[in-house]
């Protein structure tokens, strides 16, 4: 009986031998080379474990440093001093109230005793007439009125701060993320046009978990999707010329993907509506609204910036048959803290605070949930190019430690502002208007992927730029 020849070519020594497969690399090795191959894998595993242990050690050593503890002690001391100051003020006011009341009663008592002596004197001397009686009657009436209507005491609250306010300012000495200054073009960049490898004034962008990019291709009146590393995009909706039919768009300004129900929500700005695309079926969610930005919070509420009415409204998903709730602005067009002047992009954090790019006020405003007015967190010092200024801000994204990233459109740069700071710093761009890899031309939309790479809709260069994070 002939022996079955099961010899095959060894991947390592390239000889015909009895071989064994490696499931990881799908190659076949002879016994000796397989042993060596497994040893290499074991060495690599040990190397990874060693790196892991080093990282674990470094991580466990990351305890609050002396500066952190000093700041915390200062905050605790501020709290103690403020409470003591309030307690002392309350004590002083109480003493004034008690003293004032006692003084009033003492005055009444003195007048009463004087009158009592006069009555006793008149009775004793038994010499009195109508004039004396009228005097006594008037004095008694006067004291009665004083007793029934004492001098009023009230509390007056001034607008001047009673205790010194404090806030946390994140200085530039903190190590923030940095990005490569030369970008990679990941969509468009082939000139202005409507071919599948071209864009025409892209503005709003959204990137899903698979790094697929959804773009509001404004002047092509379409929403396009560029798969990760694709050389051209595909039309999701629109692209049927400018129009107001359900399959047409008119200058779409923003797009988000609701990844829970796999729908796409679009700002169809000049058609004055917000559209939802679900399973290729489009429906109008909100109409009669000129808006440029929208976002969704983690609770499923939809926020839309009303460009014309200078406000931001919030809707609960599925309840679009009402006017929504105003969460920012809504007090007319202006530059007061309770007003906006042409709001564009918006961002909502986990606390449902709303950040608004206030275009013509050249600032970014933060409105806490249920607040009656916002506060300036970026810009607000007039239009300009200084680090304390913005010019027509568009896209806004907020990350950890209150880091506010702003597409400073008129200055062709992306700025980082730390909440509480007077000035921002340039993240990318700021090298003059142009189409080089380190330049921008009216940036609009911003987005970070899960690896913190920064994507910028470079509107007038008709491209989408990716700035890779520096690890």
């Amino acid at each position: 009986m002939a022996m079955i020849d099961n010899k095959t070519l060894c991947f390592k020594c390239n000889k015909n031998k009895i071989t064994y497969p490696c499931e990881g690399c799908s190659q076949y090795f002879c016994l000796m080379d397989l042993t060596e191959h497994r040893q290499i894998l074991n060495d690599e595993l040990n190397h990874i474990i060693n790196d892991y242990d080093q990282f674990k050690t470094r991580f466990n050593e990351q305890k609050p440093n002396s500066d952190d503890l000093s700041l915390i002690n200062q905050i605790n001391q501020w709290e103690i001093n403020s409470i003591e100051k309030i307690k002392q003020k309350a004590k002083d006011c109480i003493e004034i109230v008690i003293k004032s009341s006692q003084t009033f009663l003492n005055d009444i008592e003195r007048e009463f005793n004087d009158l009592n002596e006069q009555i006793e004197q008149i009775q004793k001397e038994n010499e009195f007439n109508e004039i004396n009686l009228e005097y006594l009657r008037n004095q008694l009436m006067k004291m009665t009125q004083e007793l029934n209507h004492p001098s009023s005491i009230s509390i007056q609250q001034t607008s001047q701060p009673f205790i010194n306010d404090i806030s946390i300012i994140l200085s530039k000495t903190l190590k923030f993320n940095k990005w490569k200054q030369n970008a990679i073009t990941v969509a468009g960049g082939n000139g202005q046009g409507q071919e599948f490898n071209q864009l025409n004034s892209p503005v709003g962008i959204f990137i899903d978990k698979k790094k697929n990019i959804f773009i509001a291709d404004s002047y092509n009146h379409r929403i396009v999707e560029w798969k990760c590393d694709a050389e051209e995009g595909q039309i999701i909706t629109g692209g049927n010329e400018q129009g107001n039919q359900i399959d047409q768009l008119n200058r779409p300004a923003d797009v988000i993907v609701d990844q829970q129900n796999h729908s796409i929500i679009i700002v169809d700005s000049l058609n004055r509506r917000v559209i939802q695309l679900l399973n290729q079926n489009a429906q109008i969610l909100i109409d009669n609204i000129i808006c440029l930005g929208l976002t969704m919070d983690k609770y499923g509420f939809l926020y839309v910036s009303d460009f014309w009415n200078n406000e931001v409204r919030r809707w609960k998903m599925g309840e679009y048959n009402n006017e929504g709730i105003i969460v920012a602005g809504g007090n007319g067009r202006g530059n007061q803290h309770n007003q906006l002047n042409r709001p564009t992009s918006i961002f909502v954090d986990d606390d449902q605070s709303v950040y608004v790019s206030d275009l013509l006020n050249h600032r970014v405003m933060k409105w806490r949930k249920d607040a009656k007015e916002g506060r300036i967190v970026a810009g607000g010092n007039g239009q300009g190019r200084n680090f304390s200024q913005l010019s027509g801000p568009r896209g806004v994204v907020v990350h950890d430690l209150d880091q506010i990233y702003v597409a400073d459109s008129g200055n062709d740069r992306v700025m980082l502002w730390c909440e509480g700071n007077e000035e921002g710093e340039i993240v990318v761009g700021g090298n003059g208007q142009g189409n080089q890899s380190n330049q921008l031309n009216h940036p609009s939309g911003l987005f970070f992927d899960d690896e913190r790479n920064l994507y910028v809709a470079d509107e007038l260069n008709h491209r989408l730029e990716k700035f890779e994070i520096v690890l």
Side-chain angles (χ1 to χ4, degrees), residues 87-258:
K87 285 183 176 179
Q88 186 60 48
K89 186 68 175 179
K91 182 179 178 182
D92 293 343
C93 290
I94 290 172
E95 288 179 356
I96 291 173
V97 170
I98 293 175
K99 185 176 180 180
S100 175
S101 298
Q102 190 61 49
T103 300
F104 167 76
L105 293 176
N106 290 340
D107 291 342
I108 293 292
E109 184 179 18
R110 185 174 59 254
E111 292 178 8
F112 173 78
N113 291 333
D114 290 342
L115 184 61
N116 185 56
E117 290 179 0
Q118 293 179 50
I119 293 174
E120 290 179 351
Q121 184 67 27
I122 289 174
Q123 286 179 324
K124 181 179 179 181
E125 295 178 353
N126 197 25
E127 291 184 3
F128 57 91
N129 53 37
E130 290 82 357
I131 296 176
N132 301 126
L133 296 178
E134 183 67 20
Y135 169 77
L136 295 176
R137 188 180 295 108
N138 289 338
Q139 287 298 103
L140 182 59
M141 185 180 299
K142 176 185 173 184
M143 287 190 300
T144 302
Q145 289 178 344
E146 290 178 354
L147 185 63
N148 292 335
H149 302 90
S151 300
S152 63
I153 302 176
S154 62
I155 296 176
Q156 180 183 14
Q157 298 189 29
T158 67
S159 60
Q160 298 298 320
F162 173 59
I163 59 174
N164 295 326
D165 193 11
I166 64 170
S167 59
I168 304 301
I169 298 177
L170 303 175
S171 67
K172 293 182 180 179
T173 57
L174 292 177
K175 295 183 179 179
F176 295 119
N177 292 323
K178 299 294 181 182
W179 287 265
K180 294 180 181 179
Q181 295 303 296
N182 293 306
I184 302 170
T185 300
V186 293
N190 298 299
Q192 179 181 4
Q194 58 183 358
E195 301 299 325
F196 289 138
N197 68 342
Q198 293 180 307
L199 297 170
N200 190 349
S201 297
V203 281
I205 54 177
F206 187 94
I207 302 172
D208 66 14
K209 301 297 184 182
K210 298 179 180 179
K211 291 189 174 64
N212 299 318
I213 306 167
F214 298 81
I215 306 171
D217 191 10
S218 182
Y219 277 83
N220 280 329
H221 313 290
R222 65 189 184 185
I223 302 297
V224 293
E225 177 186 4
W226 288 63
K227 299 289 187 182
C228 182
D229 298 327
E231 294 184 358
E232 62 180 31
Q234 60 187 36
I235 298 175
I236 298 299
T237 188
N240 300 308
E241 298 184 348
Q242 182 178 8
N244 60 7
Q245 300 300 312
I246 197 63
D247 64 342
Q248 292 179 307
L249 299 173
N250 189 351
R251 299 277 296 280
D254 207 355
V255 56
I256 61 173
V257 178
D258 181 0

Side-chain angles (χ1 to χ4, degrees), residues 16-72:
N16 279 318
K17 294 184 178 181
I18 298 176
T19 58
Y20 306 89
C22 173
E23 295 181 358
C25 63
S26 301
Q27 301 294 341
Y28 285 81
F29 299 88
C30 66
L31 183 59
M32 183 177 296
D33 288 333
L34 179 62
T35 302
E36 182 180 352
H37 181 66
R38 293 298 303 174
Q39 184 60 46
I40 292 173
L41 295 180
N42 285 331
D43 292 343
E44 182 65 23
L45 175 60
N46 290 332
H47 180 72
I48 293 173
I49 293 174
N50 183 59
D51 289 345
Y52 168 81
D53 290 337
Q54 291 182 15
F55 175 83
K56 183 178 179 181
T57 301
R58 289 181 58 193
F59 179 78
N60 290 335
E61 291 174 351
Q62 297 299 312
K63 298 179 180 179
N65 57 42
S66 58
D67 291 338
D68 294 334
L69 295 176
S70 175
L71 290 173
I72 292 173

